[in-house]
Amino acid sequence: MKFSVSGRTAATGVAAAAVSTVMLLTSGSLAGAAPAPAQAAAPDIPVANVKAHLAQLQSIATANGGNRAHGKAGYKASLDYVKGKLDAAGFTTTVQTFTSSGSTGYNLIADWPGGDTDHVVMSGSHLDSVSAGPGINDNGSGSAAVLETALAVSRAGYQPSKHLRFAWWGAEELGMVGSRNYVNSLSTADRSKISDYLNFDMIASPNPGYFVYDDDPTIEKTFKDYFAGLNITTEPDTEGDGRSDHAPFENAGIPVGGLFSGADYIKTAAQKDAWGGTSGKAFDACYHRSCDTSANIDDTALDHNSDAVAHAVWELSS
């Protein structure tokens, strides 16, 4: 840097310039010196948007024999609905096929461009229902929350340091067939790239509890801290342990976590005191029944859990 002044003025100018240069470097105002911006917190997930997805899944079931089960038209229509939303939002989507019980099954995988693909944060839910009903809590609720979180990633233009991947599994109700097929299709190297797998299976039970998977300490703490901030107590998920799509990931050595609002187990008096609702009654009396419709949803649980999904995705991927 060259100055055209002389004497004391020059010395003062040099000193001032030096100070200014240090301040510019420190504040990141010089070209090439700007620090990476801090990632914003996860956005609020509008529960109305999540419920709109559930209404679509209900309509699909109603138009296709009352269910969205593996091998039925309602399942494929559900997958096409989710895929259409993700494609329009800029995700790279892949449909993986498999065969189970004599029928073709489908997994939907959606990758958000960017992030370190050697460190993948993956969130998933099963999209199929049982044949007895439309499966709006089990598991439209998890599927809709994961979908709306993915769409929130797109709306925010979120660019985390880790790579984001979302999944909707087929044939979970037949024994985690779709998710197991996916994990088995991965090479050892690709399995090692999945830093976290988050599973959401039933998160809006009408007599809800707030259960957090206790499989991985870091993921568990992420969820527990979030609910503590809402003054909501949580319990470890023992009812659903190993009974949903996190199991194939955990068996492959991948850290897993997730949320659950309860199925056909009975809410205790202590749980009623903690969470409200009705003791002596199942968390979801319509579990695997025809009455698991859009009326079988607790909006508050759906809202809290959907926000928790987004919180964990942002927190673990930043």
Side-chain angles (χ1 to χ4, degrees), residues 143-181:
S143 294
V146 173
L147 172 58
E148 190 57 31
T149 297
L151 298 180
V153 166
S154 175
R155 288 193 297 267
Y158 182 42
Q159 291 299 321
S161 59
K162 296 180 181 179
H163 182 75
L164 292 179
R165 182 173 298 152
F166 300 88
W168 291 263
W169 308 117
E172 185 271 352
E173 298 291 2
L174 302 183
M176 293 82 74
V177 178
S179 55
R180 188 170 64 249
N181 183 276

Side-chain angles (χ1 to χ4, degrees), residues 4 13 19 47 61 95 103 105 129 137 156 170 173 176-177 195 202 206 258 288:
S4 60
V19 171
V47 71
V95 176
S103 297
S129 73
N137 185 37
E173 298 291 2
M176 293 82 74
V177 178
S195 303
M202 301 181 64
H288 284 187

Side-chain angles (χ1 to χ4, degrees), residues 172-245:
E172 185 271 352
E173 298 291 2
L174 302 183
M176 293 82 74
V177 178
S179 55
R180 188 170 64 249
N181 183 276
Y182 173 79
V183 172
N184 289 344
S185 75
L186 297 175
S187 66
T188 301
D190 284 340
R191 289 181 189 178
S192 70
K193 293 176 182 179
I194 302 176
S195 303
D196 310 273
Y197 173 71
L198 312 178
N199 195 63
F200 305 100
D201 187 354
M202 301 181 64
I203 60 169
S205 302
N207 189 28
Y210 290 89
F211 298 96
V212 174
Y213 296 11
D214 60 353
D215 302 88
D216 178 80
T218 299
I219 302 174
E220 180 186 17
K221 185 177 187 300
T222 299
F223 285 121
K224 290 178 71 174
D225 287 351
Y226 178 79
F227 284 108
L230 300 178
N231 294 316
I232 295 174
T233 60
T234 60
E235 289 186 13
D237 172 28
T238 55
E239 178 184 349
D241 195 22
R243 290 174 55 186
S244 191
D245 292 298

